[in-house]
Amino acid sequence: MAIALILAAGRGERLGADRPKALVELGGRPLVQWSVDVLASMPAIEQIVVALPAGVQVPTGTIGVLGGAVRSESVRCALAAAEAGDPVVVQDAARPLTSVELVQATLAAVEHEGVDAAIAATPVTDTVKRADGEGVVTQTLDRAGLWTVQTPQVFRRAALERALDVPDDVLAQATDDAWLIERAGGRVVVVPAPPDNLKVTTALHLALAELLIARRKA
Ligand code: C5P
């Protein structure tokens, strides 16, 4: 059976809210509750551990742990608190519009022979350039084959445990956990995600998420 780790321990300063981002309301529910509700509705997931900032109430039906200083450290803390269970679904609380279908597709992809991790992702549609410190363009990347990656990210537990067993400075460089698998030589596959799986970083994203929820209900 699978287990799920929800990462909700970020401060979310770019949102400019009066409370931790996990508790900011979206459609009448705290942001973190959206991921909890999706994952708790899935019979394939037997346990949910949530990494939270200090002083935040643990969502009902989940195990709460104090998050770490950086994102992957929060993953390490949450995984250490989880009982046996494999694979491991990692979900950012900052992506409240995740869905049962997307988690299922990602869980299915990690079952393929030789796959260590399967990650939700979207093909890049903009042209991507690199610029130096003065803003002068130094390179235009070939966007064919480029993806922006998201959560859910699903891992074989042994591969994730090995990947997280690195010095703190390496952990601090990881903007996603799949990178830790890649640098250890593991095999990571992308799973196409719907365009509404947005990350709430600023007030604009929160407003967009509200609109998307209203559209889902319509
Ligand atoms: O910082 P970033 O935007 O990449 O955060 C993505 C997710 O990781 C958010 O849901 C945030 O709450 C979580 N996070 C965490 N612990 C940290 C930093 C971020 O759980 N130390």
Side-chain angles (χ1 to χ4, degrees):
M1 290 274 274
I3 55 164
L5 315 178
I6 299 177
L7 303 178
R11 286 195 301 273
E13 281 161 357
R14 285 167 291 183
L15 196 54
D18 59 355
R19 62 191 87 177
K21 185 156 77 175
L23 298 184
V24 167
E25 294 259 319
L26 169 69
R29 275 187 273 167
L31 213 57
V32 64
Q33 194 63 42
W34 285 80
S35 294
V36 171
D37 289 346
V38 165
L39 294 163
S41 75
M42 297 181 64
I45 293 174
E46 64 176 345
Q47 189 182 51
I48 300 173
V49 181
V50 190
L52 293 160
V56 170
Q57 204 184 334
V58 179
T60 307
T62 72
I63 293 170
V65 295
L66 206 54
V70 297
R71 188 185 174 285
S72 291
E73 205 178 310
S74 293
V75 176
R76 197 151 69 177
C77 297
L79 187 60
E83 285 161 16
D86 184 24
V88 180
V89 180
V90 175
Q91 173 66 38
D92 284 350
R95 292 196 188 269
L97 301 186
T98 191
S99 64
V100 169
E101 294 73 22
L102 181 58
V103 178
Q104 269 168 350
T106 317
L107 277 166
V110 90
E111 293 302 333
H112 291 123
E113 176 95 30
V115 172
D116 296 302
I119 62 178
T122 306
V124 168
T125 52
D126 290 331
T127 294
V128 181
K129 295 182 190 286
R130 189 186 303 281
D132 65 16
E134 271 83 56
V136 177
V137 171
T138 56
Q139 192 187 9
T140 298
L141 303 178
D142 178 4
R143 74 180 171 204
L146 289 184
W147 297 71
T148 56
V149 312
Q150 311 161 4
T151 62
Q153 300 198 342
V154 181
F155 301 88
R156 300 281 21 147
R157 186 168 183 149
L160 182 59
E161 282 174 348
R162 267 197 312 275
L164 289 169
D165 187 17
V166 289
D168 287 350
D169 62 320
V170 176
L171 217 56
Q173 288 173 50
T175 53
D176 78 332
D177 309 294
W179 174 72
L180 296 167
I181 302 278
E182 293 156 40
R183 70 180 288 283
R187 189 177 176 84
V188 180
V189 297
V190 289
V191 175
D196 66 354
N197 189 31
L198 60 78
K199 180 169 165 189
V200 174
T201 304
T202 66
L204 174 69
H205 302 131
L206 199 59
L208 272 174
E210 291 281 4
L211 287 173
L212 290 166
I213 289 166
R215 205 176 64 166
R216 277 183 182 181
K217 284 189 197 139

